[in-house]
Amino acid sequence: MIDPFQPFEWALAHGRTLTLGPRGLLMAIINVTPDSFSDGGVYNDTEAAVSQGLRCLEDGAAILDIGGESTRPGAAAVTAAQEQDRVLPVIAALASQTDAIISVDTYRAETARLAIAAGAHIVNDVHGLQREPDLADVAATTGAGLCIMHTGRDREKRADVVDDQYHFLERSLEIAAAAGVQRDRIVLDPGFGFAKDTDENVALMARFDELFGFGMPLLAGTSRKRFIGAITGREAQERDAGTAATTALLRMAGAAVFRVHNVAINRDALLVADAMLASKRHVTGTPGKDNQP
């Protein structure tokens, strides 16, 4: 178990680090795709994607997550070359124009290697190293930060939502360890929305503290997900308020990083949640005392 509010130095590529724990950090979603579920086609060229990245930094993003293949159910597959043509120019431009921490959203080892060479610091794998395990070798040799996500797609899930997290992610961590990835380079993502229905997503939020048994910081990616629409009745582009609610709730539960489309509204949600956590620290003398598992 860890105290999720204590400082954790996340070691990244190119000698960079991020301090996780004492305050929530935002990872901005930059989809360089024509078919992502809520913003497909909006930033589907290098200039538009770079401009959006710069806006997200101004709004308070700590990380820019650049993706070139939609992960929505039923999305058209892209080749490695197509993915790389989309993301590498954006990463290179942002790396040359800013000192931003940049993440590449890919499960492909070769895309990850090229992205890090272009200036990326983090690899965000929605398949948890279990589609292309060689990606772990890339992370180990480059020193990249690694976000390992849980997914329930294309396999038989266990009945209990938290049990399934441990079943899947423990295998991912075995792959990372075998490749030599140090634990201070890993953040885990429970994969809200990935083959999980509304009840499972809500249960995962309610039981979030049980995931600190991994002993690692956690990233929450609820932004505009279908379960928020099921609860609020809103279409994808109208789910930012619902997303901000989950951001505040999960921050109070100990999440460290929040992957979002709308940085500004989630920045405000985090400021409120972190102010409450600071007040609790002042009263109890222990960061997040009442939130520890």
Side-chain angles (χ1 to χ4, degrees):
M1 293 286 184
I2 63 168
D3 180 341
F5 303 104
Q6 289 295 318
F8 176 97
E9 293 300 319
W10 191 13
L12 313 175
H14 310 299
R16 299 291 293 275
T17 62
L18 273 177
T19 301
L20 308 182
R23 64 184 183 92
L25 301 180
L26 294 169
M27 171 187 276
I29 299 168
I30 313 293
N31 287 319
V32 195
T33 62
D35 56 350
S36 291
F37 77 95
S38 77
D39 58 357
V42 179
Y43 313 115
N44 195 26
D45 63 71
T46 299
E47 183 179 359
V50 170
S51 294
Q52 174 64 3
L54 296 175
R55 282 192 294 271
C56 288
L57 292 175
E58 291 177 0
D59 286 343
I63 306 165
L64 302 177
D65 190 42
I66 316 301
E69 181 173 2
S70 175
T71 58
R72 69 173 175 80
V78 303
T79 67
Q82 288 174 313
E83 178 187 47
Q84 291 157 19
D85 286 346
R86 292 173 179 178
V87 302
L88 295 179
V90 177
I91 291 168
L94 287 167
S96 68
Q97 295 179 37
T98 76
D99 64 352
I101 298 294
I102 300 169
S103 169
V104 59
D105 179 1
T106 187
Y107 61 84
R108 293 184 174 94
E110 182 62 9
T111 299
R113 184 185 68 78
L114 293 170
I116 295 162
H121 307 90
I122 298 165
V123 180
N124 179 18
D125 181 4
V126 299
H127 290 278
L129 305 178
Q130 297 189 40
R131 182 158 174 176
E132 287 198 17
D134 287 348
L135 192 150
D137 296 304
V138 173
T141 56
T142 62
L146 188 58
C147 182
I148 298 174
M149 196 193 82
H150 172 282
T151 181
R153 292 180 182 175
D154 302 320
R155 65 181 181 84
E156 185 176 346
K157 298 188 302 181
R158 296 194 171 188
D160 182 83
V161 67
V162 172
D163 184 36
D164 195 66
Q165 291 281 322
Y166 279 89
H167 174 69
F168 181 88
L169 290 173
E170 283 175 349
R171 174 57 185 149
S172 297
L173 291 171
E174 289 172 0
I175 294 169
V181 180
Q182 300 299 307
R183 290 178 69 87
D184 67 348
R185 296 189 180 274
I186 299 173
V187 166
L188 299 180
D189 177 353
F192 287 99
F194 280 76
K196 300 173 183 70
D197 63 23
T198 298
D199 289 343
E200 289 171 321
N201 283 299
V202 173
L204 194 56
M205 288 182 61
R207 299 173 61 188
F208 199 76
D209 62 344
E210 296 179 44
L211 302 179
F212 292 114
F214 285 111
M216 294 177 178
L218 299 176
L219 180 151
T222 62
S223 189
R224 299 180 181 173
K225 291 292 175 71
R226 185 177 301 176
F227 82 96
I228 295 177
I231 294 169
T232 64
R234 303 282 187 181
E235 295 300 319
Q237 294 84 354
E238 301 173 334
R239 296 173 189 163
D240 289 334
T243 299
T246 67
T247 293
L249 290 166
L250 288 169
R251 177 57 187 153
M252 297 300 293
V257 182
F258 301 83
R259 186 175 181 272
V260 300
H261 296 87
N262 185 326
V263 173
I265 192 171
N266 285 282
R267 172 184 174 272
D268 289 356
L270 279 182
L271 287 171
V272 173
D274 280 329
M276 291 182 67
L277 288 167
S279 179
K280 182 173 290 189
R281 271 199 304 273
H282 177 73
V283 171
T284 66
T286 305
K289 179 178 179 181
D290 294 340
N291 299 82
Q292 293 184 48

